[in-house]
């Protein structure tokens, strides 16, 4: 009975309880000014970068950044965007003068194009060099401005492009794709057996990177070492284009003309392809899909050309916007990140390659001994990839004109126009030279 | 004697000076729409025009006036004319195909059959599905290795694997693919337009024609189609404007490849202006669309005015 009475809603009780509820509900707004001041005192750091091809890396990075924030009383947020959206996102943030504190670029462009919007990180790079050794050639091409010896971006890592081949298939013809000539001759034999070589001639990042590598290995290049002149129209380039024409006709199928960046991965996994040139994500995909096929797939340095052994690489780097709200925090985070780089390397399953000489001492974990691979030293050749990796501007710096040639797929189209018989090798080179020179002339007047 | 109450004077609205003046009231009602168009369409357009006449890049955001230099440089590039041609083929090819499909779709949906309501709802799907998802699905269908189209043709014994078409690797087929995908996206809209038009045609006109001996084709092409042409033309204007400026299908499916065969103005403008950071040239490429679209729209609106019944 007493219980019933205590639960009975009287007018006095109703007013009292409603009043208390209202007071509780309005408390945040009453205390708002004090709380918002407290929130304003809590620093924040925001980072945006691509959605990594190794999803486990993203999980590691997000937790790593969050833990750093907890230690330093900084609220850290990490956003991941598709790789194809990075350029548009950067343009939007720079135009709006607002966005993330740290911007992670992927591939061509970025540091040089946005130079005027980015904090000079020379002291950060120099301090990291003192600790972890010199920046590699590809690392230097990423964010170094050779005109005034400053750094616009902090080199994070590069993605190398080794060759991957089906050992049993190549053993059957008694060859190994050590040189580009071997690839063509062996590829022709394997194509006859139903196992062509697969290197994309489409419009995407992989062919942009791969065919530049082949061009350099034949002694050709888009620009000179100073980045002043287009030097594409050369005997060496014509030879390279003639070679690609032969390679396409003899060792590949027309499928490669339509490939995107994931097509060669699928080609390898399908069991049809005898060789591809791609980051090891293709091999990792194969491991997950078919362990036996992956065991038969071997990873090696890219084939040697008549002049040198070299391949394109995709650069990843961090820039700090001048309009970033927490520039100090951004620099502190990157310092801390560099000190824990071997963890990042492991989390990426050996996909992220260090830009500083001693950042990951050799023998490198995973690459020297990968427990998931048979044999376990299958990825060992990747430890020296800084010796055969370069950015799109090689042998010169990366700068906006080089990026535009890259974004317009001019080198890929130079190869594909000749390969498909649309133009002769000489005319194709002339076409690409004219296209590139128009872009260079335009940018020379603007930089 | 009955007392009639004095009528109570209605209080005058505080805004009577607006409400009583028809012209002012109309202007106030239309103003938000005009402001919206000026801010969100007019201003960006003026900005784009100014960008195209400047040396503005992301690297060096300067408003230095350069006149028509950007346009001159673009016109000197032979690749640009290929892009312009591709844009016309893509736009008019997909609109034509979409209209034909839309017309037949509308005829089918006009006839009663079991499950018509479900089919009507489903047919809107291509219009409702996000372009990214739809294009990826199409990409798989045209995949060089796993194309379901090729698989079916090979399984049916019509083709061998060696003869199977390389949908996105052949310049002509790649163009056909983007045309087909865009027509697929557009045709539900065309169906809706045709359905709205056909159902608005008075039944007695159709009945009279039938009594006079007009068959199916004559009724449709000499009576119904001329009557619904104005509404079809409005739909076509939308279709042409949206397709001419579209870059999504090309960006997602071919990136302008193979060898630039599917590069269209929207894509080229985006690659140059945003990805490569040459905003001035990107704006100039995009503005090439403006006169074309203006001519198309003026022509069609004049046509509609003449045809109005």
């Amino acid at each position: 009975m007493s219980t019933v009475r205590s639960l009975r809603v009287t007018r006095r009780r109703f007013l009292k309880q409603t009043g208390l509820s209202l007071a509780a509900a309005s408390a945040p707004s009453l205390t708002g000014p004090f709380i918002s001041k407290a929130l304003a005192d809590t620093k924040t750091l925001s980072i945006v970068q691509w959605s990594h091809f190794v999803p486990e890396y993203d999980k590691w990075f997000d937790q790593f950044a969050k833990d750093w924030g907890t230690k330093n009383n900084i609220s850290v947020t990490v956003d991941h965007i598709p790789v194809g959206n990075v350029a548009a996102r950067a343009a939007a943030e720079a135009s709006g003068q607002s966005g993330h504190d740290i911007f992670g670029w992927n591939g061509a462009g970025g540091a040089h194009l946005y130079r005027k919007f980015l904090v000079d990180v020379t002291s950060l790079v120099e301090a990291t060099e003192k600790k972890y050794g010199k920046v590699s050639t590809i690392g230097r091409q990423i964010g170094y401005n050779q005109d005034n010896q400053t750094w616009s971006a902090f080199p994070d890592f590069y993605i190398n492009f080794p060759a991957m081949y089906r050992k049993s298939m190549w053993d059957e013809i008694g060859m190994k794709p050590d040189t580009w000539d071997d690839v063509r001759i062996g590829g022709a034999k394997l194509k006859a057996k139903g196992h062509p070589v697969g290197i994309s001639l489409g419009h995407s990042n992989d062919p942009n990177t791969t065919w530049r590598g082949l061009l350099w290995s034949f002694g050709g290049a888009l620009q000179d070492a100073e980045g002043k002149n287009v030097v594409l129209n050369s005997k060496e380039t014509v030879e390279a284009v003639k070679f690609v024409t032969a390679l396409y006709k003899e060792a590949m199928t027309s499928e490669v003309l339509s490939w995107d960046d994931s097509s060669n991965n699928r080609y390898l996994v399908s069991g049809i392809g005898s060789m591809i040139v791609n980051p090891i994500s293709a091999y990792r995909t194969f491991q997950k899909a078919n362990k036996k096929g992956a065991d038969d797939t071997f990873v090696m340095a890219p084939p040697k050309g008549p002049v040198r052994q070299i391949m394109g690489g995709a650069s990843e780097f961090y820039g700090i916007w001048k309009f970033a709200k927490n520039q100090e925090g951004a620099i502190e985070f990157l310092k801390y990140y560099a000190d824990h780089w071997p963890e990042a390397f492991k989390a990426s399953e050996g996909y992220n390659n260090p830009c500083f000489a001693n950042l990951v001492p050799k023998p490198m974990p995973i690459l020297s001994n990968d427990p998931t691979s048979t044999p376990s030293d299958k990825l060992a050749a990747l430890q020296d990839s800084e010796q055969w990796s370069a950015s799109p501007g090689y042998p010169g710096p990366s700068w906006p004109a080089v990026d535009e040639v890259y974004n317009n797929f001019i080198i890929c189209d130079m190869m594909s126009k000749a390969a498909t018989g649309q133009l002769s090798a000489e005319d194709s080179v002339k076409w690409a030279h004219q296209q590139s020179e128009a872009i260079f002339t335009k940018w020379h007047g603007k930089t | 004697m009955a007392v009639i109450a004095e009528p109570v004077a209605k209080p005058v609205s505080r805004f009577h000076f607006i409400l009583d003046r028809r012209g002012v009231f109309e202007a106030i009602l239309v103003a938000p729409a005009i402001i919206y168009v000026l801010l969100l369409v007019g201003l960006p357009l003026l900005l784009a025009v100014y960008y195209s006449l400047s040396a503005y890049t992301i690297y060096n955001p300067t408003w230095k006036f350069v006149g028509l230099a950007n346009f001159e440089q673009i016109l000197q590039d032979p690749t640009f004319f290929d892009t312009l041609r591709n844009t016309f083929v893509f736009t008019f090819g997909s609109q034509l195909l979409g209209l034909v499909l839309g017309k037949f779709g509308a005829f089918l949906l006009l006839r009663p059959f079991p499950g018509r309501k479900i089919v009507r709802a489903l047919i809107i799907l291509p219009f409702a599905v996000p372009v990214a998802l739809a294009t990826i699905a199409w990409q798989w269908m045209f995949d060089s290795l796993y194309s379901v189209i090729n698989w079916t043709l090979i399984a049916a014994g019509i083709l061998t694997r060696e003869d199977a078409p390389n949908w996105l690797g052949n310049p002509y087929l790649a163009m056909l693919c983007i045309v087909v995908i865009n027509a697929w996206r557009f045709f539900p809209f065309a169906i809706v337009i045709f359905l709205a038009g056909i159902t608005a045609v008075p039944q007695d006109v159709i009945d009279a024609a039938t009594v006079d001996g007009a068959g199916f084709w004559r009724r449709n092409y000499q009576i119904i189609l001329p009557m619904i042409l104005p509404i079809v033309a409005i739909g076509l204007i939308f279709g042409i404007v949206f397709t001419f400026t579209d870059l999504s299908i090309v960006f997602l499916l071919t990136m302008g490849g193979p060898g630039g065969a599917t590069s269209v103005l929207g894509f080229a403008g985006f690659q140059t202006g945003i990805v490569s950071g040459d905003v001035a040239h990107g704006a100039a490429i995009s503005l090439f669309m403006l006169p074309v679209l203006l001519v198309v729209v003026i022509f069609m609106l004049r046509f509609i005015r003449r045809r109005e019944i």
Side-chain angles (χ1 to χ4, degrees), chain A residues 428-441:
Chain A
S428 192
V429 172
K430 270 183 205 155
W431 169 84
H433 186 93
Q434 281 165 358
Q435 292 281 310
S436 306
E437 206 161 50
I439 292 170
F440 268 58
T441 308

Side-chain angles (χ1 to χ4, degrees), chain A residues 37-193:
Chain A
K37 187 174 181 314
L39 277 174
D41 290 340
T42 308
K43 283 194 171 175
T44 59
L45 182 77
S46 56
I47 304 166
V48 63
Q49 58 196 28
W50 68 309
S51 296
H52 202 287
F53 284 148
V54 181
E56 288 73 22
Y57 176 77
D58 281 347
K59 282 181 203 158
W60 173 84
F61 186 88
D62 293 355
Q63 192 59 47
F64 173 80
K66 199 178 156 195
D67 291 347
W68 176 82
T70 310
K71 269 185 210 164
N72 294 282
N73 195 28
I74 293 176
S75 170
V76 182
T77 51
V78 185
D79 293 318
H80 300 275
I81 55 175
V83 63
N85 293 358
V86 171
R89 178 82 210 184
E93 294 202 3
S95 304
Q97 292 282 297
S98 132
H100 297 79
D101 296 300
I102 299 179
F103 199 98
W105 270 278
N106 174 288
H112 303 90
L113 187 59
Y114 291 94
R115 189 171 161 183
K116 290 181 180 167
F117 295 89
L118 295 171
V119 170
D120 181 349
V121 289
T122 308
S123 54
L124 174 66
V125 176
E126 283 173 358
T128 313
E129 266 192 322
K130 268 185 196 163
K131 260 186 175 177
Y132 298 110
K134 282 276 170 202
V135 181
S136 59
T137 306
I138 187 166
R140 186 160 284 267
Q141 282 173 313
I142 290 171
Y144 184 66
N145 307 307
Q146 60 184 24
D147 54 354
N148 62 354
Q149 289 90 46
T150 59
W151 286 85
S152 297
F154 182 72
D156 182 7
F157 64 90
Y158 69 93
I159 304 165
N160 55 26
F161 277 62
M164 276 162 244
Y165 67 102
R166 291 296 298 267
K167 192 168 185 303
S168 62
M169 294 177 190
W170 284 83
D171 282 351
E172 213 174 292
I173 57 163
M175 290 182 77
K176 199 181 163 197
D178 281 325
T179 66
W180 279 112
D181 262 341
D182 292 337
V183 176
R184 182 179 63 82
I185 296 162
K189 289 178 183 169
L190 287 167
K191 184 182 174 183
K193 288 172 178 279

Side-chain angles (χ1 to χ4, degrees), chain B residues 47-130:
Chain B
L47 202 62
V49 171
Y50 197 77
Y51 274 138
S52 70
L53 302 172
S54 75
Y56 195 99
T57 63
I58 289 175
Y59 179 85
N60 189 13
T62 168
W63 291 96
K64 191 182 152 200
F65 183 75
V66 296
L68 295 172
N70 295 324
F71 290 96
E72 280 171 27
Q73 280 175 1
I74 289 167
L75 289 172
Q76 281 164 9
D77 178 8
T79 312
F80 173 75
F81 291 99
D82 295 339
T83 304
L84 199 62
R85 185 199 59 216
N86 293 341
T87 314
F88 276 100
V89 174
F90 173 56
T91 304
F92 291 100
S94 61
Q95 291 310 299
L96 189 68
L97 187 60
L99 280 181
V100 172
L101 289 174
K103 184 97 192 323
F104 282 106
F107 278 141
L108 286 174
L109 290 178
L110 276 171
R111 303 174 75 87
F113 60 88
R116 188 171 66 157
K117 282 184 180 171
I118 297 170
V119 174
R120 274 190 177 189
L122 285 176
I123 223 150
I124 297 295
L125 265 181
F127 206 52
V129 173

Side-chain angles (χ1 to χ4, degrees), chain A residues 361-378:
Chain A
K362 290 171 191 168
M364 291 180 178
I366 301 173
L367 296 187
S368 63
N369 181 15
D370 179 21
T372 66
S373 291
T374 312
S376 61
D377 64 346
K378 188 181 272 181

Side-chain angles (χ1 to χ4, degrees), chain A residues 203 254 266 407 435 442 446, chain B residues 77 79 143 166 255 278:
Chain A
H203 276 191
S254 66
R266 292 199 296 275
N407 295 327
Q435 292 281 310
K442 187 179 79 174
K446 289 178 173 177
Chain B
D77 178 8
T79 312
D143 187 81
N166 183 6
M255 287 295 278
D278 189 352

Side-chain angles (χ1 to χ4, degrees), chain B residues 123-130 184-190 192:
Chain B
I123 223 150
I124 297 295
L125 265 181
F127 206 52
V129 173
W184 173 81
R185 289 190 69 216
F186 172 68
F187 94 94
F189 179 63
V192 172

